[in-house]
Amino acid sequence: MNELIPVRGSESEEVVSTLYREARLLDHEEYREWMKMVHPDIQYQAYFQQLRNRKDKRYKLPDKVYTIDERHDFLDARIRQFETGMQWSVDPPERFRRSLSNIEVFKASSTGNYQVFLNVFVVRNRRVHDETTYSYGREEEWVRGEAGLQLLKRVVSLDERFLHGKNLNFFL
């Protein structure tokens, strides 16, 4: 049994500060610096959830539809693609503003890793009149590595049933 123990004080502040730093790096497209915060064994996932009536038992399919399921090499490939300058969808550069809220930090009794739950609100500005907002929850696992805290697992629960924005061509 993996009991989650609430983390308080300076230990919690370190994790929250790391989350804020990560958001800043991603907002400013400092992807190589961000990758230093990503553990080599990263599991990076995002899903949409099917909304069904509670009493509706007709469907046997899973409620969660994963749109992103990546590991370290895929994240690195995405960054290399951005670095080529050939990705037309981000030229001119997009502007992001991320807000993190409802941050809860726990320590897993079995591993000592940090389990973090939070909500994220992102505003994405593209070109002149193209602004999109995204709201989602994240469940994450952070581990202490040689370079400080590193992201080991991120599972993003997108609040939309269908994507209303142009794409998810950014890091969540």
Side-chain angles (χ1 to χ4, degrees), residues 15-112:
V15 174
V16 171
S17 177
T18 300
L19 294 171
Y20 290 153
R21 179 172 184 264
E22 179 197 27
R24 179 180 50 80
L25 291 174
L26 291 174
D27 284 352
H28 292 101
E29 297 181 345
E30 297 181 37
Y31 301 128
R32 286 292 163 204
E33 194 64 27
W34 173 69
M35 281 298 281
K36 294 177 186 175
M37 300 174 72
V38 174
H39 193 276
D41 296 329
I42 181 76
Q43 182 180 4
Y44 188 93
Q45 299 175 311
Y47 66 87
F48 292 100
Q49 189 146 0
Q50 297 294 316
L51 302 177
R52 298 185 187 121
N53 290 328
R54 289 180 177 96
K55 294 179 182 179
D56 190 350
K57 305 296 181 197
R58 294 178 294 169
Y59 301 101
K60 303 294 183 216
L61 298 173
D63 288 342
K64 296 177 182 177
V65 178
Y66 285 86
T67 58
I68 297 173
D69 189 1
E70 298 179 336
R71 302 296 181 262
H72 196 277
D73 54 341
F74 283 95
L75 295 174
D76 188 62
R78 286 175 63 186
I79 291 171
R80 285 196 317 271
Q81 187 178 31
F82 286 133
E83 291 170 341
T84 65
M86 298 299 291
Q87 192 162 35
W88 63 269
S89 68
V90 293
D91 193 23
E94 300 173 311
R95 297 292 176 241
F96 291 93
R97 191 70 62 207
R98 288 167 218 267
S99 296
L100 312 179
S101 67
N102 299 52
I103 302 171
E104 296 179 282
V105 181
F106 298 90
K107 190 177 264 190
S109 61
S110 63
T111 62

Side-chain angles (χ1 to χ4, degrees), residues 89-144:
S89 68
V90 293
D91 193 23
E94 300 173 311
R95 297 292 176 241
F96 291 93
R97 191 70 62 207
R98 288 167 218 267
S99 296
L100 312 179
S101 67
N102 299 52
I103 302 171
E104 296 179 282
V105 181
F106 298 90
K107 190 177 264 190
S109 61
S110 63
T111 62
N113 294 347
Y114 295 103
Q115 302 294 320
V116 182
F117 303 90
L118 68 149
N119 295 328
V120 182
F121 185 77
V122 177
V123 178
R124 176 192 202 181
N125 286 285
R126 304 176 72 213
R127 298 181 174 81
V128 178
H129 301 290
D130 191 357
E131 180 176 287
T132 311
T133 58
Y134 299 88
S135 171
Y136 51 89
R138 289 192 336 212
E139 295 183 17
E140 334 193 299
E141 184 173 356
W142 290 78
V143 61
R144 189 167 303 282

Side-chain angles (χ1 to χ4, degrees), residues 143-156:
V143 61
R144 189 167 303 282
E146 294 178 14
L149 292 176
Q150 289 188 301
L151 179 62
L152 181 62
K153 182 177 183 179
R154 172 166 291 158
V155 179
V156 176

